[in-house]
């Protein structure tokens, strides 16, 4: 433990009797203190070069030079080393010069009595304080080395966002704003937030100040030509009495994720358009050909066997077109299916969303025959929807439907009004300012691609419940 770590102190005094007496008293007073002795300033300097020393204790009145000269030399080479000066008188000039030279402590030596307890206490206190500083400096240095290479902006504000305590260089990459500008005005980053998203961001800041962890997505106008989507997550830091003393968090660029959502919907729309074109441009003339061949076959029954062969070929073409349309509608939405436990899928999805303050309760599980990657994408969107529209401490519950073969994911958030439930799966529909409206649209696409169905109902605790019916097995 740190409290038991040995301390090496160098005691300098040209009086051999005091040198022996005080060093012996110190060793007896504190077992962890190991005393090295020197009878001159030069002897002290030599030991400092040879041995690892934690603290210097020196008498002021040395024969060849004062302890103050030794203090100045130590400060020149070892500016942070604790140095305690002993003097026989309380001379104000000596005290002033010692303080100016950077003495750690100044003790007046008494003529009688054992001062070892006082000296040991001052030595231990000074050394432990310095060791704590060094540990903090190492930790801070390592932290800065880590955050200098991360792709996320890491930051810390005070509880009311009036003071910036820490920010790494990534902030400038995200917001196009220097760290110095943010320090000068800690809320100036809001000037870069899209005007339609400012209210959501400031609301999240207020909730964080009140002690609630937050997750918020918003647009950042980095420049006139560049707009990014940014996700910020923050958590309040509390004092021992429970008062919020600071807000720590991270911000990251999620523009690619938003673009992926839009691209997925665009591809699905293209596939559906292609499927509709095939149905209209191929099946219509195919129906005309089939009808005419059948009519000719009826009129010339038994006269031409080739008409029967043509009908068989037309039926085969119809089957092939049906299969083609099915593949076109499915496209890349569903890959290879496998049997995976619902609990495993929903737990993994929750972990991917990273929603501090929220919780997940999986009450039951069933195996699902599905493309796990796409189903997890759907579940992530459902969970993210619960976090973004509910409070930061939202509880997400997942389980198995009692009467039908299916599963559900619900939350205890504000819920979705019944009048809006029919529209929630429409692409582009959203109730959140700045929301893309693609999340639930993607969910519905993935569910439908598996041949399943999804409905919206009231949650058990007044939130929203999404029920997914997966069929008989």
């Amino acid at each position: 433990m740190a409290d038991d770590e040995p301390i090496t102190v160098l005691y300098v005094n040209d009086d051999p009797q005091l040198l022996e007496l005080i060093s012996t008293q110190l060793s007896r007073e504190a077992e962890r203190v190991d005393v090295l002795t020197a009878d001159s300033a030069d002897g002290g300097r030599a030991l400092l070069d040879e041995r690892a020393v934690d603290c210097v204790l020196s008498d002021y009145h040395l024969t060849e030079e004062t302890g103050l000269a030794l203090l100045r030399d130590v400060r020149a080479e070892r500016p942070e080393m604790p140095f305690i000066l002993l003097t026989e008188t309380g001379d104000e000039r000596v005290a002033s010069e010692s303080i100016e030279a950077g003495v750690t402590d100044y003790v007046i030596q008494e003529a009688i009595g054992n001062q070892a307890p006082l000296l040991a206490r001052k030595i231990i206190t000074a050394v432990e304080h310095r060791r704590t500083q060094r540990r903090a400096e190492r930790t801070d240095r390592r932290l800065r080395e880590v955050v200098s290479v991360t792709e996320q902006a890491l930051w810390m504000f005070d509880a009311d966002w009036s003071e910036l305590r820490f920010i790494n260089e990534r902030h400038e990459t995200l917001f196009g704003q220097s760290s110095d500008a943010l320090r000068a005005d800690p809320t100036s980053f809001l000037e870069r937030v899209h005007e339609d998203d400012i209210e959501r961001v400031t609301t999240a800041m207020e909730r964080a100040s009140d002690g609630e962890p937050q997750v918020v997505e918003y647009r950042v106008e980095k420049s006139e030509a560049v707009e990014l989507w940014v996700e910020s997550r923050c958590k309040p830091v509390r004092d021992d009495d429970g008062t919020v003393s600071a807000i720590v968090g991270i911000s990251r660029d999620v523009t690619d994720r938003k673009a992926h959502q839009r691209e997925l919907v665009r591809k699905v729309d293209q596939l559906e358009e292609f499927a509709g074109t095939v149905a209209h441009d191929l099946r219509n003339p195919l129906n005309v050909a089939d009808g005419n061949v059948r009519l000719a076959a009826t009129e010339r029954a038994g006269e031409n066997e080739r008409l029967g062969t043509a009908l068989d070929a037309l039926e085969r073409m119809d089957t092939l077109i049906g299969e083609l349309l099915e593949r076109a509608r499915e496209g890349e939405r569903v890959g290879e299916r496998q049997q995976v436990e619902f609990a495993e899928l929903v737990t993994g999805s929750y972990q991917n969303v990273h929603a501090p303050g929220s919780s997940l309760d999986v009450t039951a599980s069933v195996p699902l025959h599905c493309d796990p990657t796409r189903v997890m994408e759907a579940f992530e969107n459902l969970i993210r929807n619960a976090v973004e529209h509910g409070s930061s401490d939202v509880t997400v519950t997942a389980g198995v439907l009692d009467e039908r073969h299916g599963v559900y994911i619900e939350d205890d958030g504000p819920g979705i009004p019944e009048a809006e439930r029919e529209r929630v799966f429409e692409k582009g529909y959203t109730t959140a300012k700045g929301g893309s409206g693609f999340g639930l649209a993607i969910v519905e696409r993935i569910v439908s691609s598996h041949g399943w169905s999804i409905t919206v109902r009231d949650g058990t605790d007044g939130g929203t419940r999404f029920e997914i019916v997966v069929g008989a097995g």
Side-chain angles (χ1 to χ4, degrees):
M1 294 177 60
D3 291 343
D4 299 327
E5 190 176 348
I7 293 174
T8 300
V9 59
L10 170 62
Y11 176 40
V12 183
N13 197 325
D14 58 4
D15 185 325
Q17 292 182 335
L18 284 175
L19 190 67
E20 181 181 0
L21 175 63
I22 293 179
S23 61
T24 301
Q25 289 175 332
L26 280 173
S27 298
R28 290 178 178 177
E29 180 65 31
E31 293 183 0
R32 61 186 292 207
V33 175
D34 179 27
V35 183
L36 302 176
T37 60
D39 58 7
S40 66
D42 283 342
R45 294 184 184 97
L47 278 172
L48 284 172
D49 290 336
E50 296 172 2
R51 301 284 299 273
V53 174
D54 298 307
C55 178
V56 176
L57 173 65
S58 176
D59 189 67
Y60 176 79
H61 297 285
L62 301 176
T63 302
E64 297 179 358
E65 56 185 320
T66 66
L68 188 58
L70 178 60
L71 168 61
R72 291 191 177 107
D73 288 345
V74 169
R75 282 288 168 265
E77 299 292 332
R78 302 169 179 84
E80 304 299 330
M81 177 176 284
F83 194 111
I84 300 173
L85 199 61
L86 273 171
T87 181
E88 295 177 356
T89 62
D91 189 300
E92 291 185 2
R93 180 185 60 80
V94 173
S96 175
E97 290 179 350
S98 300
I99 293 172
E100 184 179 350
V103 73
T104 305
D105 215 331
Y106 182 85
V107 179
I108 298 174
Q109 186 172 324
E110 297 179 358
I112 59 175
N114 182 8
Q115 285 188 285
L118 172 64
L119 292 174
R121 186 166 62 252
K122 287 181 176 293
I123 290 168
I124 292 171
T125 299
V127 171
E128 288 186 343
H129 176 69
R130 177 55 192 148
R131 286 176 176 174
T132 300
Q133 283 183 321
R134 283 204 300 262
R135 285 193 292 268
E137 289 168 0
R138 285 195 299 268
T139 300
D140 182 69
R141 186 166 56 252
R142 290 168 183 166
L143 176 61
R144 289 185 180 277
E145 289 172 355
V146 171
V147 301
S148 66
V149 297
T150 183
E151 293 298 316
Q152 300 173 335
L154 281 72
W155 42 263
M156 175 184 286
F157 290 83
D158 64 350
D160 62 359
W161 304 86
S162 62
E163 178 187 351
L164 175 66
R165 298 185 182 178
F166 175 83
I167 191 76
N168 68 339
E169 296 176 358
R170 183 63 177 170
H171 170 78
E172 185 167 351
T173 304
L174 288 179
F175 286 80
Q177 177 190 36
S178 70
S179 299
D180 290 339
L182 187 62
R183 287 189 181 92
D185 183 359
T187 58
S188 59
F189 72 92
L190 290 171
E191 298 172 3
R192 304 300 177 101
V193 176
H194 193 286
E195 61 179 356
D196 291 340
D197 300 340
I198 289 179
E199 183 178 349
R200 286 191 298 113
V201 175
T202 54
T203 298
M205 292 167 64
E206 292 169 359
R207 290 176 176 174
S209 296
D210 290 337
E212 300 180 30
Q214 296 293 307
V215 179
V216 60
E217 289 184 355
Y218 52 95
R219 288 162 290 179
V220 169
E221 296 174 331
K222 182 178 177 180
S223 66
E224 292 184 1
V226 179
E227 180 180 274
L228 305 177
W229 272 96
V230 172
E231 177 189 78
S232 291
R233 299 169 178 271
C234 65
K235 185 176 182 180
V237 177
R238 298 180 182 272
D239 291 334
D240 293 339
D241 61 0
T243 303
V244 176
S245 60
I247 310 294
V248 297
I250 62 172
S251 297
R252 62 186 180 122
D253 186 347
V254 294
T255 306
D256 288 345
R257 190 182 75 196
K258 290 289 185 179
H260 171 70
Q261 291 179 340
R262 292 188 177 93
E263 181 64 15
L264 180 62
V265 172
R266 186 186 68 81
K267 285 184 177 180
V268 171
D269 287 344
Q270 287 179 337
L271 289 169
E272 289 183 344
E273 182 179 353
F274 170 73
T277 300
V278 170
H280 182 272
D281 293 350
L282 293 182
R283 270 194 163 150
N284 284 353
L286 182 63
N287 288 336
V288 171
D290 180 75
N292 281 282
V293 171
R294 289 183 184 278
L295 182 60
T298 301
E299 293 175 349
R300 301 182 180 183
E303 294 182 13
N304 194 338
E305 295 181 359
R306 295 182 182 276
L307 293 176
T309 302
L311 283 174
D312 291 340
L314 289 172
E315 289 178 358
R316 177 58 180 160
M317 289 174 62
D318 184 62
T319 300
L320 291 173
I321 289 175
E323 292 176 354
L324 174 63
L325 290 174
E326 180 61 29
R327 289 178 179 272
R329 292 190 184 102
E330 186 170 316
E332 297 178 348
R333 283 177 283 175
V334 175
E336 182 178 352
R337 302 193 190 200
Q338 50 188 287
Q339 207 83 346
V340 186
E341 282 293 324
F342 169 66
E344 178 183 344
L345 293 168
V346 75
T347 301
S349 301
Y350 176 77
Q351 292 171 346
N352 290 341
V353 171
H354 302 296
S358 68
S359 61
L360 172 69
D361 180 21
V362 182
T363 61
S365 181
V366 291
L368 297 179
H369 187 63
C370 65
D371 176 349
T373 300
R374 306 317 304 277
V375 169
M376 284 183 66
E377 181 180 0
F379 289 172
E380 287 172 20
N381 282 335
L382 291 178
I383 295 168
R384 188 175 289 111
N385 182 76
V387 172
E388 291 179 353
H389 290 81
S391 61
S392 58
D393 59 351
V394 65
T395 296
V396 178
T397 304
V400 177
L401 297 176
D402 293 333
E403 299 178 356
R404 292 167 293 170
H405 189 76
V407 295
Y408 69 86
I409 296 177
E410 68 176 14
D411 60 69
D412 58 356
I416 299 175
E418 188 172 355
E420 298 179 9
R421 292 176 188 170
E422 293 184 1
R423 299 188 58 199
V424 295
F425 296 115
E426 296 177 6
K427 61 179 183 295
Y429 178 77
T430 178
T431 59
K433 288 185 176 180
S436 66
F438 293 133
L440 293 181
I442 291 174
V443 172
E444 196 275 335
R445 303 277 192 185
I446 294 173
V447 169
S448 298
S449 297
H450 280 79
W452 304 342
S453 63
I454 183 169
T455 55
V456 187
R457 303 181 186 275
D458 287 327
T460 305
D461 297 320
T464 303
R465 179 183 176 110
F466 292 93
E467 295 185 351
I468 300 174
V469 177
V470 300

